[in-house]
Amino acid sequence: EDKVVQSPLSLVVHEGDTVTLNCSYEVTNFRSLLWYKQEKKAPTFLFMLTSSGIEKKSGRLSSILDKKELFSILNITATQTGDSAVYLCAVGASGNTPLVFGKGTRLSVIA
Amino acid sequence: DTGVSQDPRHKITKRGQNVTFRCDPISEHNRLYWYRQTLGQGPEFLTYFQNEAQLEKSRLLSNRFSAERPKGSFSTLEIQRTEQGDSAMYLCASSSDRGSRDGYTFGSGTRLTVV
């Protein structure tokens, strides 16, 4: 059975800190790994990663995938209170099977 | 088209009642997914459609749950004889089968509370 494990499950940091969120996975016929941000309601898309070692970047957020070690990290630099959310990692397999999600990491950024 | 719409946003029902939720996906997306999310958990897959065909159902989907997508556009999820354990956020998402670079687009969800 496909599995996604995120760590830590929760994290409290001060504004300006840098955080690293982890996602490890076991999936048959891996196709892609995705990161989502979930505030109160709908998860919103951050990144899709398909190739090892290629960093994706958007502002203060960046992510990278290691297909050999089966994990990904999401980095947030210079955190702001608006970064407070649950960050979800999901993996997709070939054949377009539905995404499998981890439990998420709840990030709280305090002023 | 402003995204994936779900209705209602909140539903409170008494145990044993039936409930139905609706999802309107992005119009050009032919895939539609239902997920359930409880507190402290990630979304758990329930079922998905490609056009009007229901292609996969999770073992989480008991026989009290049924989903339809009659014309390949909107979808409904019905829960019969609701139980307290059905209380959760029900999320709908859509995607294109042409290899979307943005993964799934989620709706805001329907929060169900069974009392």
Side-chain angles (χ1 to χ4, degrees), chain B residues 19-20 23-24 39 52 54 59 62-63 86 88-89 92-93 102-104:
Chain B
V19 294
T20 300
C23 172
D24 287 88
L39 198 63
E52 65 275 9
Q54 189 172 18
R59 58 183 168 77
S62 80
N63 56 12
D86 297 331
M89 174 76 86
C92 176
D102 295 338
Y104 298 175

Side-chain angles (χ1 to χ4, degrees), chain B residues 17-32:
Chain B
Q17 298 293 305
N18 299 345
V19 294
T20 300
F21 310 141
R22 177 179 170 125
C23 172
D24 287 88
I26 291 174
S27 56
E28 58 266 29
H29 285 177
N30 59 346
R31 290 205 167 129
L32 185 148

Side-chain angles (χ1 to χ4, degrees), chain B residues 54-107:
Chain B
Q54 189 172 18
L55 294 190
E56 191 172 335
K57 289 194 286 188
S58 163
R59 58 183 168 77
L60 289 177
L61 209 68
S62 80
N63 56 12
R64 297 184 297 105
F65 287 69
S66 61
E68 293 184 341
R69 195 182 182 197
K71 296 180 182 177
S73 56
F74 74 91
S75 174
T76 57
L77 177 69
E78 181 184 18
I79 309 174
Q80 297 183 323
R81 303 181 304 281
T82 50
E83 301 172 357
Q84 286 190 318
D86 297 331
S87 295
M89 174 76 86
Y90 289 84
L91 291 166
C92 176
S94 67
S95 73
S96 163
D97 65 359
R98 276 170 283 173
S100 167
R101 298 175 68 180
D102 295 338
Y104 298 175
T105 301
F106 281 88

Side-chain angles (χ1 to χ4, degrees), chain A residues 68-84:
Chain A
K68 184 179 175 189
E69 300 297 330
L70 307 183
F71 78 90
S72 173
I73 60 172
L74 175 69
N75 277 323
I76 309 175
T77 59
T79 51
Q80 301 171 357
T81 54
D83 295 326
S84 296

Side-chain angles (χ1 to χ4, degrees), chain A residues 1 31 34 36 38 40-45 48 56 86 88 95-104 106, chain B residues 9 31 33 35 37 40-43 45 48 56 59 89 91 97 100-108 111:
Chain A
E1 187 174 314
R31 179 169 56 92
L34 296 91
Y36 286 84
Q38 186 175 29
K40 292 207 187 302
K41 293 170 186 164
T44 54
F45 173 80
M48 176 187 281
K56 293 239 175 155
V86 174
L88 295 165
N96 290 306
T97 54
L99 293 178
V100 176
F101 284 83
K103 291 185 177 184
R106 179 172 294 279
Chain B
R9 301 290 287 273
R31 290 205 167 129
Y33 307 83
Y35 282 80
Q37 187 175 26
Q41 302 293 319
F45 168 72
Y48 96 94
E56 191 172 335
R59 58 183 168 77
M89 174 76 86
L91 291 166
D97 65 359
S100 167
R101 298 175 68 180
D102 295 338
Y104 298 175
T105 301
F106 281 88
S108 293
R111 182 168 294 285

